[in-house]
Amino acid sequence: MMKVAFHTLGCKVNRYETEAISEKFRAAGYEVVNEREFADVYVINTCTVTAVADKKSRQYIRKMKKVNPHSIVAVTGCYAQIKPEEVSAVEGVDIVAGTNEKSRLTQYVSRFMQERIKQIHIKGYEELDVYDDIGIISDSENRTRAYIKIQEGCNRFCTYCVIPYARGKVRSRDFDEIISEAEQLIKAGYKELVLTGINTALYDMENKNERKPQLYGVEKIIAALDKMQGDFRVRLSSLEPAVVNADYVKRLLKYEKLCHHLHLSAQSGSDDILCAMNRPYDRKGYMDIVKVLKEFDPLYGISTDIIVGFPGEKEKDFEESCSLVEQCGFCKTHIFKYSKRPFTKAAEMKGHIAPQVKNRRSDKLHKAGRMAAAEFFRRNKGNIEKVLLEEVYEEKIMITGYTGNYIKTYIKTEHMEKAEEMLNTIVEVKLTEPYSDGMMGELV
């Protein structure tokens, strides 16, 4: 039996798509093995959101080939879509497939086995306008949490972001396909379904009707899942303030199965920088959404992304990002140093920031993010939360999982066998004190 291994870089959408591709290979008769193992085929699903992501993608391509020099190496994902010739030139690459070609990778591998000719399969931006349904996922590498992709593409064209060019135009997945996949995953025993996409907030927005109130956008999916029977919960991977507002978010809070956590990308706390980024909201609009969430639940978990060193970012702009982190009390802040991306307007802007300044600002913002998270953990101390148990740390004699508001929880256990039996269950836990990147807890 032929063996295939995968390595995934980047976002949750890539992780979902790797799972879908692996099911295609299984159906074709392959055995899926760990990426560190000897395999006949290696598939690298790449990211290109930053220059660092490009570099990591190239490193893993070379790394996989070293495991088996005679293997077939197929590279797909955003880096492959944006720079196919550059990827093809990396030693050892046999197949390059764009973001809308992932469902056909098994066919391309079969063709390469027969012809032994390097392949490049890329569609131009204008052709990336149809949702490429890889298929329904009925199983997942993670036995507790499953991702469900609901849409593809983005048409917002933020000035720093290359993703619209890598992923193409906005298109939504068929509603019935989403619900069918959810039903199968719930039946298989998954306890958390994570709705994900390139910009989940844009799902089905073309069907929005302002004159007649109705369910539209991602709410349509959440409402359907909320009615389903079963001991499971729903999490949104992210929601864009560039698409939704406080009123829309308020509508989502009535659904009981929806976790009290939202990833809400800010990118900057400065109105001037948000304007330069082509983000169609301001600091007040962002804070209005945060206010809605915190009024509903003072311990609502909010995570975010912030870019430091965007062209033209003055010290006062940076300080406004720092104050945003402090005022919002994020449970997690993902910080990125700005890097030039092909095709983007920001790459041609004046006022690019020196690397040493970006490094200093990044360090300071990381500190602010850690302080905000620590304060969030402190306010959760003593609370009883439902935790989905996901992993056993034998060396530390602990079992871990996440609360609904996205706190990683560590629970000591004396019996490892019992801990393993508890995996993939939702239990009540009292949060006792901050620990590592989360909190310690005790079973109630």
Side-chain angles (χ1 to χ4, degrees), residues 35-219:
E35 65 182 69
R36 292 183 295 274
E37 296 181 39
F38 184 95
D40 302 287
V41 179
Y42 292 99
V43 178
I44 297 94
N45 196 356
T46 63
C47 174
T48 193
V49 71
T50 64
V52 173
D54 288 356
K55 182 179 179 181
K56 286 183 178 179
S57 295
R58 292 191 297 272
Q59 288 173 340
Y60 275 104
I61 292 168
R62 297 184 181 103
K63 184 178 180 181
M64 295 299 99
K65 195 68 174 184
K66 288 180 180 178
V67 180
N68 177 10
H70 302 291
S71 63
I72 298 171
V73 172
V75 183
T76 187
C78 293
Y79 181 37
Q81 176 72 35
I82 292 295
K83 298 181 179 179
E85 298 298 335
E86 182 175 301
V87 171
S88 180
V90 177
E91 186 177 358
V93 173
D94 301 303
I95 300 167
V96 179
T99 52
N100 234 41
E101 298 294 318
K102 295 180 180 182
S103 64
R104 288 168 280 281
L105 272 172
T106 54
Q107 301 169 33
Y108 297 150
V109 169
S110 295
R111 185 191 304 177
F112 183 84
M113 288 179 181
Q114 296 173 358
E115 301 174 353
R116 291 289 162 175
I117 299 173
K118 183 172 288 195
Q119 304 171 26
I120 298 179
H121 304 277
I122 301 292
K123 288 181 178 178
Y125 171 78
E126 293 298 327
E127 298 177 279
L128 299 179
D129 58 357
V130 176
Y131 187 91
D132 185 33
D133 202 337
I134 305 178
I136 289 177
I137 294 179
S138 58
D139 199 0
S140 175
E141 185 177 316
N142 187 319
R143 299 304 304 173
T144 57
R145 180 187 297 119
Y147 296 105
I148 300 178
K149 182 181 173 183
I150 65 171
Q151 67 85 225
E152 175 66 277
C154 183
N155 57 9
R156 294 287 141 171
F157 291 98
C158 298
T159 58
Y160 57 84
C161 187
V162 71
I163 296 305
Y165 301 97
R167 289 285 184 167
K169 302 172 185 179
V170 173
R171 54 261 198 218
S172 297
R173 188 180 181 187
D174 180 76
F175 176 79
D176 291 336
E177 286 286 305
I178 295 170
I179 300 306
S180 178
E181 185 167 87
E183 289 172 342
Q184 292 191 38
L185 290 167
I186 293 166
K187 187 176 180 181
Y190 290 91
K191 300 297 184 183
E192 183 172 303
L193 305 182
V194 183
L195 303 181
T196 191
I198 297 305
N199 191 330
T200 53
L202 291 173
Y203 175 80
D204 199 38
M205 292 299 272
E206 62 270 23
N207 293 328
K208 177 182 175 182
N209 186 336
E210 295 283 8
R211 291 169 295 178
K212 182 180 179 182
Q214 60 177 327
L215 294 180
Y216 65 87
V218 73
E219 182 186 5

Side-chain angles (χ1 to χ4, degrees), residues 204-265:
D204 199 38
M205 292 299 272
E206 62 270 23
N207 293 328
K208 177 182 175 182
N209 186 336
E210 295 283 8
R211 291 169 295 178
K212 182 180 179 182
Q214 60 177 327
L215 294 180
Y216 65 87
V218 73
E219 182 186 5
K220 182 178 175 183
I221 302 170
I222 295 171
L225 297 179
D226 199 61
K227 293 177 182 178
M228 289 185 185
Q229 298 297 311
D231 181 26
F232 72 97
R233 63 194 189 187
V234 180
R235 193 182 297 275
L236 276 172
S237 63
S238 64
L239 209 58
E240 272 284 330
V243 182
V244 302
N245 56 23
D247 290 336
Y248 184 83
V249 170
K250 191 180 292 185
R251 290 171 54 170
L252 300 181
L253 299 178
K254 65 185 177 184
Y255 298 105
E256 293 184 2
K257 288 189 182 295
L258 186 63
C259 290
H260 288 198
H261 164 249
L262 191 61
H263 185 79
L264 197 65
S265 294

Side-chain angles (χ1 to χ4, degrees), residues 137 208 244 257 268 278 303 310 394 406 417 430 437:
I137 294 179
K208 177 182 175 182
V244 302
K257 288 189 182 295
S268 177
N278 193 33
S303 52
F310 186 82
E394 293 188 16
Y406 208 58
E417 290 184 3
K430 182 178 181 180
D437 54 346

